Amino acid sequence: MRELNQSMTSYFTLMSLFSHSGPHLVLFSLVATIFTMGLLGNAILLFLIHTDSRLHTPMYFLLSQLSLLDVGFPLVTIPKMAADFLQGEDFISFEGCAAQMFFLMLMGVSEGVLLSLMSYDRYVAVCHPLHYPMLMRRQVCLLMVGTSWLSGVLVASIQTSITLHFPYCASRTVDHFFCELPALLKLSCTDTSAYELALSISGVLILLLPLSLIATSYSHVLGAILRMHITEAQHKAFTTCSSHITVVGLFYGAAVFMYMVPSTYHSPQQDNVVSLFYSLITPMLNPLIYSLRNREVRVALVKILGRAGFRSKR
């Protein structure tokens, strides 16, 4: 109990992302630029979906939730990392570490579930277009979004509470630039093998079940696209779905590496790169992938820019 109380009142030391690099300021500037681009891109996409009536469809409603998650991901980690770099500090309180872990897991699980539900939306749109208004009515969309967020809250609450109740009586140096579950487990002075096994099993459910739904949905979608006789409809369906598949590949590739590949097969430096990828780079790429490849988004953006230009001339 004393060890647990010490954990509850102590600080963890985070390894700076820039400590293993040469030109720190250049890398810091690059991270700050990507962070700003990601926030701006997702904010613009959220604004377009909210203001343009032609984007008030189930697909874009789900996409708005993805953008919301992509705003939250970098906000949990990058400002803290930047502040530590500028102030010359490298520690985080126990409460701050718990908050980081909770919100990252919440958003990670929610995004994984949301991506699988978005694949079902594309399956219905391509394979059952006549039933789409009924199968993807507003109540169903709200249920999908609620399910994704509730799944994230449930998993994050359980995993965070269990992880942070281990006694951390050894080194408090987290070999990571933010508090992530695998990195923290290495610091515990008790045997965590049983929990790590349970974590791997839950990882199969949390990652592979949604991924199997995505694979099943898109196998049907691909078959339907190949059977289409109208070239324009085939191109539109392929463009929309390929955008989603790209996002799925980026997100799940990094998540599987971090949570399903045993830690003995990757180094802390590799973990940092992969974590930076899904917490910063992927949220920046997602709005670019959707906006550049979806004609509706491009038209909505041109419309807004046209209005802004007209007002400035007046």
Side-chain angles (χ1 to χ4, degrees):
M1 180 64 69
R2 184 180 178 183
E3 290 174 343
L4 179 60
N5 289 336
Q6 287 177 350
S7 296
M8 295 288 288
T9 57
S10 64
Y11 291 87
F12 290 105
T13 300
L14 298 175
M15 294 297 292
S16 173
L17 180 67
F18 311 110
S19 60
H20 300 292
S21 62
H24 296 179
L25 191 57
V26 173
L27 182 57
F28 174 80
S29 301
L30 179 61
V31 169
T33 301
I34 296 174
F35 173 73
T36 304
M37 289 176 59
L39 289 185
L40 186 60
N42 283 290
I44 291 174
L45 193 54
L46 281 167
F47 176 75
L48 292 176
I49 293 173
H50 177 73
T51 57
D52 197 305
S53 59
R54 289 172 296 183
L55 301 182
H56 293 173
T57 63
M59 184 186 79
Y60 287 107
F61 174 67
L62 296 176
L63 180 57
S64 69
Q65 298 300 305
L66 180 64
S67 290
L68 193 60
L69 290 167
D70 284 341
V71 168
F73 249 121
L75 283 177
V76 174
T77 57
I78 303 304
K80 167 64 178 171
M81 182 182 65
D84 287 348
F85 175 75
L86 294 174
Q87 297 172 7
E89 298 177 350
D90 56 2
F91 62 86
I92 185 172
S93 66
F94 185 89
E95 294 78 10
C97 190
Q100 268 197 348
M101 186 182 300
F102 175 82
F103 285 111
L104 284 171
M105 199 168 299
L106 185 159
M107 288 179 288
V109 173
S110 297
E111 184 161 335
V113 174
L114 183 65
L115 287 172
S116 66
L117 296 175
M118 289 174 71
S119 72
Y120 172 76
D121 168 74
R122 291 300 85 203
Y123 161 73
V124 175
V126 174
C127 300
H128 303 284
L130 297 179
H131 297 96
Y132 186 81
M134 181 187 68
L135 294 176
M136 291 301 298
R137 58 191 182 275
R138 181 170 178 78
Q139 293 87 341
V140 174
C141 293
L142 292 174
L143 180 62
M144 286 181 167
V145 170
T147 299
S148 65
W149 283 99
L150 185 61
S151 300
V153 171
L154 181 63
V155 172
S157 299
I158 295 173
Q159 300 286 22
T160 303
S161 61
I162 293 176
T163 301
L164 293 179
H165 272 79
F166 284 117
Y168 296 96
C169 50
S171 169
R172 298 300 177 87
T173 301
V174 182
D175 203 353
H176 209 50
F177 67 93
F178 61 84
C179 289
E180 192 164 26
L181 193 152
L184 276 179
L185 287 179
K186 297 177 182 178
L187 303 183
S188 176
C189 55
T190 60
D191 183 18
T192 61
S193 57
Y195 176 57
E196 289 181 28
L197 177 61
L199 187 64
S200 298
I201 295 173
S202 66
V204 172
L205 298 175
I206 295 169
L207 292 175
L208 292 191
L209 281 182
L211 200 55
S212 63
L213 175 60
I214 292 170
T216 302
S217 297
Y218 279 109
S219 63
H220 289 289
V221 168
L222 181 60
I225 290 175
L226 294 176
R227 290 192 297 270
M228 289 180 179
H229 300 293
I230 304 175
T231 306
E232 183 179 352
Q234 189 179 48
H235 176 72
K236 181 179 179 182
F238 180 79
T239 300
T240 303
C241 295
S242 61
S243 298
H244 184 209
I245 292 173
T246 302
V247 172
V248 168
L250 293 173
F251 177 81
Y252 273 98
V256 168
F257 179 85
M258 281 298 298
Y259 287 93
M260 296 197 66
V261 176
S263 59
T264 54
Y265 292 96
H266 46 92
S267 65
Q269 287 75 24
Q270 290 174 324
D271 291 345
N272 278 333
V273 172
V274 173
S275 297
L276 185 67
F277 189 84
Y278 71 73
S279 65
L280 179 66
I281 298 177
T282 302
M284 184 270 293
L285 291 177
N286 284 351
L288 294 176
I289 291 171
Y290 279 104
S291 62
L292 292 177
R293 304 199 66 177
N294 283 24
R295 181 177 178 275
E296 293 90 348
V297 176
R298 295 198 303 269
V299 170
L301 181 59
V302 170
K303 183 179 176 182
I304 292 295
L305 292 176
R307 287 179 181 175
F310 177 74
R311 288 174 184 171
S312 63
K313 288 179 180 179
R314 292 182 61 183

Coordinates of all heavy atoms in Angstrom, one line a residue, residues 1-83:
M1 N 0.8 -1.2 0.0 CA 0.0 0.0 0.0 C 0.9 1.3 0.0 O 0.5 2.3 -0.6 CB -0.9 0.0 1.2 CG -1.8 1.2 1.3 SD -3.0 1.3 -0.1 CE -4.0 -0.2 0.4
R2 N 2.0 1.2 0.7 CA 2.9 2.4 0.7 C 3.4 2.6 -0.6 O 3.5 3.8 -1.1 CB 4.0 2.1 1.7 CG 4.9 3.3 1.9 CD 6.0 3.0 2.9 NE 6.9 4.1 3.0 CZ 8.0 4.1 3.7 NH1 8.3 3.1 4.5 NH2 8.8 5.2 3.8
E3 N 3.8 1.6 -1.4 CA 4.3 1.7 -2.7 C 3.3 2.3 -3.6 O 3.6 3.2 -4.4 CB 4.7 0.4 -3.3 CG 6.0 -0.2 -2.6 CD 6.3 -1.6 -3.1 OE1 5.4 -2.2 -3.7 OE2 7.4 -2.1 -2.9
L4 N 2.0 1.9 -3.4 CA 0.9 2.5 -4.2 C 0.7 3.9 -3.9 O 0.5 4.8 -4.8 CB -0.4 1.7 -4.0 CG -1.6 2.1 -4.7 CD1 -1.4 2.0 -6.2 CD2 -2.8 1.3 -4.3
N5 N 0.8 4.3 -2.6 CA 0.6 5.7 -2.3 C 1.7 6.6 -2.8 O 1.5 7.7 -3.2 CB 0.5 5.8 -0.7 CG -0.8 5.3 -0.2 OD1 -1.8 5.2 -0.9 ND2 -0.7 4.9 1.1
Q6 N 2.9 6.0 -2.8 CA 4.0 6.8 -3.4 C 3.8 7.0 -4.9 O 4.1 8.1 -5.4 CB 5.3 6.0 -3.2 CG 5.8 6.0 -1.8 CD 7.1 5.2 -1.6 OE1 7.5 4.4 -2.5 NE2 7.7 5.3 -0.4
S7 N 3.2 6.0 -5.6 CA 2.9 6.1 -7.0 C 1.9 7.2 -7.2 O 1.9 8.0 -8.2 CB 2.4 4.8 -7.6 OG 3.4 3.8 -7.5
M8 N 0.9 7.3 -6.3 CA -0.2 8.2 -6.5 C 0.2 9.7 -6.3 O -0.4 10.6 -6.8 CB -1.3 7.9 -5.5 CG -2.0 6.5 -5.7 SD -3.0 6.5 -7.2 CE -4.4 7.5 -6.6
T9 N 1.4 9.9 -5.6 CA 1.7 11.3 -5.3 C 3.0 11.7 -6.1 O 3.6 12.8 -5.8 CB 1.9 11.5 -3.8 OG1 2.9 10.5 -3.4 CG2 0.6 11.2 -3.1
S10 N 3.5 10.9 -7.0 CA 4.8 11.1 -7.5 C 4.7 11.6 -9.0 O 3.6 11.8 -9.5 CB 5.7 9.8 -7.5 OG 5.1 8.9 -8.3
Y11 N 5.8 11.9 -9.6 CA 5.9 12.3 -10.9 C 6.6 11.3 -11.8 O 7.4 10.5 -11.3 CB 6.7 13.6 -11.0 CG 6.0 14.8 -10.4 CD1 6.1 15.1 -9.1 CD2 5.2 15.7 -11.2 CE1 5.5 16.2 -8.5 CE2 4.6 16.8 -10.7 CZ 4.7 17.0 -9.3 OH 4.1 18.1 -8.7
F12 N 6.3 11.3 -13.0 CA 7.0 10.5 -14.0 C 7.9 11.4 -14.9 O 7.5 12.5 -15.1 CB 6.1 9.7 -14.9 CG 5.3 8.6 -14.2 CD1 4.0 8.8 -13.9 CD2 5.9 7.4 -13.9 CE1 3.3 7.8 -13.3 CE2 5.2 6.4 -13.3 CZ 3.9 6.6 -13.0
T13 N 9.0 10.9 -15.3 CA 9.9 11.6 -16.2 C 9.7 11.1 -17.6 O 9.9 9.9 -17.8 CB 11.4 11.5 -15.8 OG1 11.5 11.9 -14.4 CG2 12.3 12.2 -16.7
L14 N 9.4 12.0 -18.5 CA 9.2 11.6 -19.9 C 10.5 11.8 -20.7 O 11.2 12.8 -20.5 CB 8.1 12.4 -20.5 CG 6.7 12.3 -19.9 CD1 5.7 13.2 -20.5 CD2 6.2 10.8 -20.1
M15 N 10.8 10.9 -21.6 CA 11.9 11.1 -22.5 C 11.5 12.0 -23.6 O 10.5 11.7 -24.3 CB 12.4 9.7 -23.1 CG 12.9 8.8 -22.0 SD 14.4 9.4 -21.2 CE 15.6 9.3 -22.6
S16 N 12.2 13.1 -23.8 CA 11.9 14.0 -24.9 C 12.0 13.4 -26.3 O 12.9 12.6 -26.5 CB 12.8 15.2 -24.8 OG 12.5 16.1 -25.9
L17 N 11.1 13.7 -27.1 CA 11.1 13.2 -28.5 C 12.4 13.7 -29.2 O 12.9 13.1 -30.2 CB 9.9 13.6 -29.3 CG 9.8 13.2 -30.7 CD1 9.6 11.7 -30.8 CD2 8.6 13.9 -31.4
F18 N 12.9 14.9 -28.8 CA 14.0 15.5 -29.5 C 15.3 15.1 -28.9 O 16.4 15.6 -29.4 CB 13.8 17.0 -29.4 CG 12.5 17.5 -29.8 CD1 11.6 18.0 -28.8 CD2 12.0 17.4 -31.1 CE1 10.3 18.4 -29.2 CE2 10.7 17.8 -31.4 CZ 9.9 18.3 -30.5
S19 N 15.3 14.3 -27.8 CA 16.6 14.0 -27.2 C 17.5 13.0 -28.0 O 18.7 13.0 -27.9 CB 16.4 13.3 -25.8 OG 15.6 12.1 -26.0
H20 N 16.9 12.3 -28.9 CA 17.7 11.4 -29.8 C 18.0 11.9 -31.1 O 18.4 11.2 -32.0 CB 16.9 10.0 -29.9 CG 16.6 9.4 -28.6 ND1 17.6 8.8 -27.8 CD2 15.4 9.2 -28.0 CE1 17.0 8.3 -26.8 NE2 15.7 8.5 -26.8
S21 N 17.7 13.2 -31.3 CA 17.9 13.8 -32.6 C 19.1 14.8 -32.6 O 19.5 15.2 -31.6 CB 16.6 14.5 -33.1 OG 16.3 15.5 -32.2
G22 N 19.5 15.2 -33.8 CA 20.6 16.2 -33.9 C 20.0 17.6 -33.8 O 20.1 18.2 -32.7
P23 N 19.5 18.1 -34.9 CA 19.0 19.5 -34.9 C 17.7 19.6 -34.2 O 16.6 19.5 -34.8 CB 18.9 19.9 -36.3 CG 18.7 18.6 -37.0 CD 19.4 17.5 -36.2
H24 N 17.7 19.8 -32.9 CA 16.4 19.8 -32.1 C 15.4 20.8 -32.6 O 14.2 20.6 -32.7 CB 16.7 20.0 -30.6 CG 17.5 18.9 -30.0 ND1 18.0 19.0 -28.7 CD2 18.0 17.8 -30.5 CE1 18.7 17.9 -28.4 NE2 18.7 17.1 -29.5
L25 N 15.9 22.0 -32.8 CA 15.0 23.1 -33.2 C 14.3 22.9 -34.5 O 13.1 23.2 -34.7 CB 15.8 24.5 -33.2 CG 14.9 25.7 -33.3 CD1 13.9 25.8 -32.2 CD2 15.8 27.0 -33.4
V26 N 15.0 22.3 -35.5 CA 14.5 22.0 -36.8 C 13.3 20.9 -36.6 O 12.3 21.1 -37.2 CB 15.5 21.4 -37.7 CG1 14.9 21.0 -39.0 CG2 16.6 22.5 -38.0
L27 N 13.6 19.9 -35.8 CA 12.6 18.9 -35.6 C 11.4 19.4 -34.8 O 10.2 19.1 -35.1 CB 13.2 17.7 -34.9 CG 12.3 16.5 -34.6 CD1 11.7 15.9 -35.9 CD2 13.0 15.4 -33.8
F28 N 11.7 20.3 -33.9 CA 10.6 20.9 -33.1 C 9.7 21.8 -34.0 O 8.5 21.7 -33.9 CB 11.2 21.8 -32.0 CG 10.1 22.6 -31.2 CD1 9.4 22.0 -30.3 CD2 9.9 23.9 -31.5 CE1 8.4 22.7 -29.6 CE2 9.0 24.6 -30.9 CZ 8.2 24.0 -29.9
S29 N 10.3 22.5 -34.9 CA 9.6 23.3 -35.9 C 8.8 22.5 -36.8 O 7.6 22.8 -37.1 CB 10.5 24.2 -36.7 OG 11.3 25.0 -35.8
L30 N 9.3 21.3 -37.2 CA 8.6 20.4 -38.1 C 7.3 19.8 -37.4 O 6.2 19.8 -38.0 CB 9.5 19.3 -38.6 CG 8.9 18.2 -39.5 CD1 8.4 18.9 -40.8 CD2 9.9 17.1 -39.8
V31 N 7.5 19.4 -36.1 CA 6.4 18.9 -35.4 C 5.3 20.0 -35.2 O 4.1 19.7 -35.3 CB 6.9 18.3 -34.0 CG1 5.7 18.0 -33.1 CG2 7.7 17.1 -34.2
A32 N 5.8 21.2 -34.8 CA 4.8 22.3 -34.6 C 4.0 22.6 -35.9 O 2.8 22.9 -35.9 CB 5.6 23.5 -34.2
T33 N 4.7 22.5 -37.1 CA 4.1 22.8 -38.4 C 3.0 21.7 -38.7 O 1.9 22.0 -39.1 CB 5.1 22.8 -39.5 OG1 6.1 23.9 -39.2 CG2 4.4 23.1 -40.8
I34 N 3.4 20.4 -38.5 CA 2.4 19.3 -38.7 C 1.3 19.4 -37.8 O 0.1 19.2 -38.2 CB 3.2 18.0 -38.6 CG1 4.2 17.8 -39.7 CG2 2.2 16.8 -38.7 CD1 5.1 16.6 -39.5
F35 N 1.5 19.8 -36.5 CA 0.5 19.9 -35.5 C -0.5 21.0 -35.9 O -1.7 20.8 -35.9 CB 1.1 20.3 -34.2 CG 0.2 20.6 -33.1 CD1 -0.6 19.7 -32.5 CD2 0.0 21.9 -32.7 CE1 -1.5 20.0 -31.5 CE2 -0.9 22.3 -31.7 CZ -1.6 21.3 -31.1
T36 N 0.0 22.1 -36.4 CA -0.8 23.3 -36.8 C -1.6 22.9 -38.0 O -2.8 23.2 -38.1 CB 0.0 24.5 -37.1 OG1 0.8 24.8 -35.9 CG2 -0.9 25.7 -37.4
M37 N -1.0 22.3 -39.0 CA -1.7 21.8 -40.2 C -2.8 20.9 -39.9 O -3.9 20.9 -40.5 CB -0.7 21.2 -41.2 CG 0.3 22.2 -41.8 SD 1.5 21.3 -42.9 CE 0.4 20.5 -44.1
G38 N -2.6 19.9 -39.0 CA -3.6 18.9 -38.6 C -4.8 19.6 -38.0 O -5.9 19.3 -38.4
L39 N -4.5 20.5 -37.0 CA -5.6 21.2 -36.4 C -6.4 22.0 -37.4 O -7.7 22.0 -37.4 CB -5.1 22.0 -35.2 CG -4.6 21.3 -34.0 CD1 -4.2 22.4 -32.9 CD2 -5.6 20.4 -33.4
L40 N -5.7 22.7 -38.2 CA -6.4 23.6 -39.2 C -7.2 22.8 -40.2 O -8.3 23.1 -40.5 CB -5.3 24.5 -39.9 CG -5.8 25.5 -40.9 CD1 -6.7 26.5 -40.1 CD2 -4.7 26.3 -41.6
G41 N -6.6 21.7 -40.7 CA -7.3 20.9 -41.7 C -8.5 20.2 -41.1 O -9.6 20.3 -41.8
N42 N -8.5 19.7 -39.9 CA -9.6 19.1 -39.3 C -10.7 20.1 -39.0 O -11.9 19.9 -39.1 CB -9.3 18.3 -38.1 CG -8.6 16.9 -38.5 OD1 -9.3 16.0 -39.0 ND2 -7.3 16.8 -38.2
A43 N -10.2 21.3 -38.5 CA -11.2 22.4 -38.2 C -11.9 22.9 -39.4 O -13.2 23.1 -39.4 CB -10.5 23.5 -37.5
I44 N -11.2 23.0 -40.5 CA -11.9 23.4 -41.8 C -12.9 22.3 -42.3 O -14.0 22.7 -42.7 CB -10.8 23.6 -42.9 CG1 -10.0 24.9 -42.6 CG2 -11.4 23.8 -44.3 CD1 -8.8 25.1 -43.5
L45 N -12.5 21.1 -42.2 CA -13.4 20.0 -42.6 C -14.6 20.0 -41.7 O -15.8 19.8 -42.2 CB -12.7 18.7 -42.5 CG -13.3 17.5 -43.2 CD1 -13.6 17.8 -44.6 CD2 -12.4 16.2 -43.1
L46 N -14.5 20.2 -40.4 CA -15.6 20.2 -39.5 C -16.5 21.4 -39.9 O -17.8 21.3 -39.9 CB -15.2 20.4 -38.0 CG -14.7 19.1 -37.4 CD1 -14.0 19.4 -36.1 CD2 -15.9 18.1 -37.1
F47 N -15.9 22.5 -40.2 CA -16.7 23.7 -40.5 C -17.5 23.5 -41.8 O -18.6 23.9 -41.9 CB -15.7 24.9 -40.7 CG -16.4 26.2 -41.1 CD1 -17.2 26.9 -40.3 CD2 -16.2 26.6 -42.5 CE1 -17.8 28.1 -40.7 CE2 -16.9 27.8 -42.9 CZ -17.6 28.5 -42.0
L48 N -16.8 22.9 -42.8 CA -17.5 22.7 -44.1 C -18.7 21.7 -43.9 O -19.7 21.9 -44.5 CB -16.5 22.1 -45.1 CG -15.4 23.0 -45.6 CD1 -14.4 22.3 -46.5 CD2 -16.0 24.3 -46.3
I49 N -18.5 20.7 -43.2 CA -19.5 19.7 -43.0 C -20.7 20.3 -42.2 O -21.9 20.0 -42.5 CB -19.0 18.5 -42.2 CG1 -18.0 17.7 -43.1 CG2 -20.1 17.5 -41.8 CD1 -17.3 16.6 -42.4
H50 N -20.4 21.2 -41.3 CA -21.5 21.9 -40.5 C -22.2 22.9 -41.3 O -23.5 23.0 -41.2 CB -20.8 22.5 -39.3 CG -21.8 23.3 -38.5 ND1 -22.8 22.7 -37.7 CD2 -22.0 24.7 -38.3 CE1 -23.5 23.6 -37.1 NE2 -23.1 24.8 -37.5
T51 N -21.5 23.6 -42.2 CA -22.2 24.8 -42.9 C -22.8 24.4 -44.3 O -23.8 25.0 -44.7 CB -21.2 25.9 -43.1 OG1 -20.0 25.4 -43.9 CG2 -20.7 26.5 -41.8
D52 N -22.2 23.4 -45.0 CA -22.7 23.1 -46.3 C -23.8 22.0 -46.2 O -23.6 20.9 -45.8 CB -21.6 22.6 -47.2 CG -22.0 22.7 -48.7 OD1 -23.0 22.0 -49.0 OD2 -21.2 23.3 -49.5
S53 N -25.0 22.3 -46.6 CA -26.2 21.4 -46.5 C -25.9 20.1 -47.4 O -26.5 19.1 -47.0 CB -27.4 22.1 -47.0 OG -27.4 22.6 -48.3
R54 N -25.2 20.2 -48.4 CA -24.9 19.1 -49.3 C -24.0 18.0 -48.6 O -24.0 16.9 -49.0 CB -24.3 19.5 -50.6 CG -25.2 20.2 -51.5 CD -24.5 20.8 -52.7 NE -23.5 21.8 -52.3 CZ -22.8 22.5 -53.2 NH1 -22.9 22.3 -54.5 NH2 -21.9 23.4 -52.7
L55 N -23.4 18.4 -47.5 CA -22.6 17.5 -46.7 C -23.3 17.0 -45.5 O -22.7 16.3 -44.7 CB -21.3 18.2 -46.3 CG -20.4 18.7 -47.4 CD1 -19.1 19.3 -46.9 CD2 -20.0 17.6 -48.4
H56 N -24.6 17.3 -45.4 CA -25.4 16.8 -44.3 C -25.9 15.4 -44.6 O -27.1 15.1 -44.7 CB -26.5 17.7 -43.9 CG -26.0 19.0 -43.4 ND1 -26.9 20.1 -43.2 CD2 -24.8 19.5 -43.1 CE1 -26.2 21.1 -42.7 NE2 -24.9 20.8 -42.6
T57 N -25.0 14.5 -44.8 CA -25.3 13.1 -45.1 C -24.7 12.2 -44.0 O -23.8 12.6 -43.3 CB -24.7 12.7 -46.5 OG1 -23.3 12.8 -46.5 CG2 -25.3 13.6 -47.6
P58 N -25.1 10.9 -43.9 CA -24.5 10.0 -42.9 C -23.0 9.9 -43.0 O -22.3 9.9 -42.0 CB -25.2 8.7 -43.2 CG -26.5 9.1 -43.8 CD -26.3 10.3 -44.6
M59 N -22.5 9.8 -44.3 CA -21.0 9.6 -44.4 C -20.3 10.8 -43.9 O -19.3 10.6 -43.1 CB -20.7 9.4 -45.9 CG -19.2 9.1 -46.2 SD -18.7 9.1 -47.9 CE -18.6 10.8 -48.3
Y60 N -20.7 12.0 -44.1 CA -20.0 13.1 -43.7 C -20.3 13.4 -42.2 O -19.4 14.0 -41.5 CB -20.3 14.4 -44.5 CG -19.7 14.3 -45.9 CD1 -20.5 14.0 -47.0 CD2 -18.4 14.5 -46.0 CE1 -19.9 13.9 -48.3 CE2 -17.8 14.4 -47.3 CZ -18.5 14.1 -48.4 OH -17.9 14.0 -49.6
F61 N -21.4 13.0 -41.7 CA -21.6 13.0 -40.2 C -20.6 12.2 -39.5 O -20.0 12.6 -38.5 CB -23.1 12.6 -39.9 CG -23.3 12.5 -38.4 CD1 -23.3 13.7 -37.6 CD2 -23.6 11.3 -37.8 CE1 -23.6 13.6 -36.3 CE2 -23.8 11.2 -36.4 CZ -23.8 12.4 -35.7
L62 N -20.4 10.9 -40.0 CA -19.4 10.1 -39.4 C -18.0 10.6 -39.6 O -17.1 10.6 -38.7 CB -19.5 8.7 -40.0 CG -20.8 7.9 -39.7 CD1 -20.8 6.6 -40.5 CD2 -21.0 7.7 -38.3
L63 N -17.8 11.2 -40.7 CA -16.5 11.8 -41.0 C -16.2 13.0 -40.1 O -15.0 13.2 -39.6 CB -16.4 12.3 -42.5 CG -15.1 13.0 -42.9 CD1 -13.9 12.1 -42.7 CD2 -15.2 13.4 -44.4
S64 N -17.2 13.7 -39.7 CA -17.1 14.9 -38.8 C -16.6 14.3 -37.4 O -15.8 15.0 -36.7 CB -18.4 15.7 -38.6 OG -19.4 14.9 -37.9
Q65 N -17.1 13.2 -37.0 CA -16.7 12.6 -35.7 C -15.2 12.1 -35.8 O -14.5 12.3 -34.8 CB -17.6 11.4 -35.4 CG -19.0 11.7 -35.2 CD -19.2 12.7 -34.1 OE1 -18.8 12.5 -32.9 NE2 -19.9 13.9 -34.4
L66 N -14.8 11.6 -37.0 CA -13.4 11.3 -37.2 C -12.5 12.5 -37.1 O -11.4 12.5 -36.4 CB -13.2 10.6 -38.5 CG -11.8 10.2 -38.9 CD1 -11.3 9.1 -38.0 CD2 -11.7 9.7 -40.3
S67 N -12.9 13.6 -37.6 CA -12.2 14.9 -37.5 C -12.1 15.4 -36.1 O -11.1 15.9 -35.7 CB -12.8 15.9 -38.4 OG -12.6 15.6 -39.8
L68 N -13.2 15.2 -35.4 CA -13.2 15.6 -34.0 C -12.2 14.8 -33.2 O -11.4 15.3 -32.3 CB -14.6 15.4 -33.4 CG -14.9 16.0 -32.0 CD1 -14.8 17.5 -32.1 CD2 -16.3 15.7 -31.6
L69 N -12.1 13.5 -33.4 CA -11.1 12.6 -32.8 C -9.7 13.0 -33.2 O -8.8 13.0 -32.4 CB -11.4 11.2 -33.1 CG -12.6 10.6 -32.5 CD1 -13.0 9.2 -33.1 CD2 -12.5 10.4 -31.0
D70 N -9.5 13.4 -34.4 CA -8.2 13.8 -34.9 C -7.8 15.1 -34.4 O -6.6 15.5 -34.5 CB -8.2 13.8 -36.5 CG -8.2 12.4 -37.0 OD1 -7.8 11.4 -36.3 OD2 -8.5 12.2 -38.2
V71 N -8.7 15.9 -33.9 CA -8.3 17.2 -33.3 C -7.9 16.8 -31.9 O -6.9 17.4 -31.4 CB -9.5 18.1 -33.2 CG1 -9.3 19.3 -32.2 CG2 -9.8 18.7 -34.6
G72 N -8.5 15.9 -31.2 CA -8.2 15.6 -29.8 C -6.9 14.8 -29.7 O -6.1 15.1 -28.7
F73 N -6.6 13.9 -30.6 CA -5.3 13.1 -30.5 C -4.1 14.0 -30.3 O -3.4 13.8 -29.2 CB -5.2 12.3 -31.7 CG -5.4 10.8 -31.5 CD1 -6.4 10.1 -32.2 CD2 -4.6 10.1 -30.6 CE1 -6.5 8.8 -32.0 CE2 -4.8 8.8 -30.4 CZ -5.7 8.1 -31.1
P74 N -3.8 14.9 -31.2 CA -2.5 15.7 -31.0 C -2.6 16.6 -29.8 O -1.6 17.0 -29.2 CB -2.3 16.4 -32.3 CG -3.7 16.4 -32.9 CD -4.4 15.2 -32.5
L75 N -3.8 17.1 -29.5 CA -4.0 18.1 -28.4 C -3.6 17.4 -27.0 O -3.2 18.2 -26.1 CB -5.4 18.6 -28.3 CG -5.8 19.7 -29.3 CD1 -7.2 20.1 -29.2 CD2 -4.9 20.9 -29.2
V76 N -3.7 16.2 -26.9 CA -3.4 15.5 -25.6 C -1.9 15.4 -25.4 O -1.4 15.4 -24.3 CB -4.1 14.1 -25.6 CG1 -3.7 13.3 -24.4 CG2 -5.6 14.2 -25.6
T77 N -1.1 15.3 -26.5 CA 0.3 15.0 -26.3 C 1.2 16.1 -26.8 O 2.2 16.4 -26.1 CB 0.6 13.7 -27.2 OG1 0.3 14.0 -28.5 CG2 -0.1 12.5 -26.6
I78 N 0.9 16.7 -27.9 CA 1.9 17.7 -28.5 C 2.1 19.0 -27.7 O 3.2 19.4 -27.5 CB 1.5 18.0 -30.0 CG1 1.4 16.7 -30.8 CG2 2.6 18.9 -30.6 CD1 2.6 15.9 -30.8
P79 N 1.0 19.6 -27.2 CA 1.3 20.8 -26.4 C 2.1 20.6 -25.2 O 3.0 21.4 -24.8 CB -0.1 21.3 -26.0 CG -1.0 20.8 -27.1 CD -0.4 19.4 -27.5
K80 N 1.9 19.5 -24.5 CA 2.7 19.1 -23.3 C 4.2 18.9 -23.7 O 5.1 19.4 -23.0 CB 2.1 17.8 -22.7 CG 3.0 17.2 -21.6 CD 3.3 18.0 -20.4 CE 4.1 17.3 -19.4 NZ 4.6 18.2 -18.3
M81 N 4.4 18.2 -24.8 CA 5.7 17.9 -25.3 C 6.4 19.2 -25.7 O 7.6 19.4 -25.3 CB 5.7 16.9 -26.5 CG 7.0 16.6 -27.0 SD 6.9 15.5 -28.4 CE 6.1 16.6 -29.6
A82 N 5.7 20.1 -26.3 CA 6.3 21.4 -26.8 C 6.6 22.2 -25.6 O 7.7 22.9 -25.5 CB 5.3 22.1 -27.7
A83 N 5.7 22.3 -24.6 CA 6.0 23.1 -23.4 C 7.2 22.6 -22.6 O 8.0 23.4 -22.1 CB 4.7 23.1 -22.5

